[in-house]
Amino acid sequence: LPAAVLLKDTKLMDVKLGQLGSWLAMRDFTPGGILGAMQRGYNRYYNKYINVRKGGLGGISMVLAGYIVLSYVWSYSHVKHDRWRKYH
């Protein structure tokens, strides 16, 4: 029999829908907790895609695609305004 895993230690993908509220209540939403979660996510990404022996373009292309999407979102109001401008 597998050992019982505490709900706090369960990954989000393994949480049942009925347990989602109590799982979210156990999360640490303080600035330190959010910063720690971002740091863990960055370390996981870095070790999976960047810090590898035989690297590829996967990790760097995802960062580039993320930058392109983010810059478009930031400039969307300006692009939307230019779309309705008449040039005559």
Side-chain angles (χ1 to χ4, degrees):
L1 291 172
V5 179
L6 296 174
L7 184 60
K8 182 181 177 185
D9 299 330
T10 308
K11 294 179 183 177
L12 177 61
M13 295 299 293
D14 297 332
V15 174
K16 304 282 191 271
L17 193 56
Q19 300 171 332
L20 187 61
S22 58
W23 183 84
L24 281 172
M26 292 182 191
R27 300 293 104 197
D28 184 14
F29 288 108
T30 61
I34 293 173
L35 188 64
M38 290 175 65
Q39 187 175 13
R40 284 191 305 275
Y42 171 78
N43 286 336
R44 185 177 299 142
Y45 170 80
Y46 182 81
N47 287 325
K48 186 172 183 179
Y49 293 108
I50 306 297
N51 190 20
V52 293
R53 286 188 185 192
K54 187 177 179 183
L57 293 176
I60 300 192
S61 63
M62 283 196 311
V63 170
L64 183 62
Y67 171 74
I68 290 170
V69 168
L70 201 61
S71 65
Y72 180 75
V73 168
W74 282 337
S75 64
Y76 179 74
S77 62
H78 184 70
V79 171
K80 182 177 163 186
H81 182 69
D82 284 345
R83 187 174 45 188
W84 297 107
R85 186 176 294 161
K86 295 188 177 185
Y87 294 100
H88 63 328

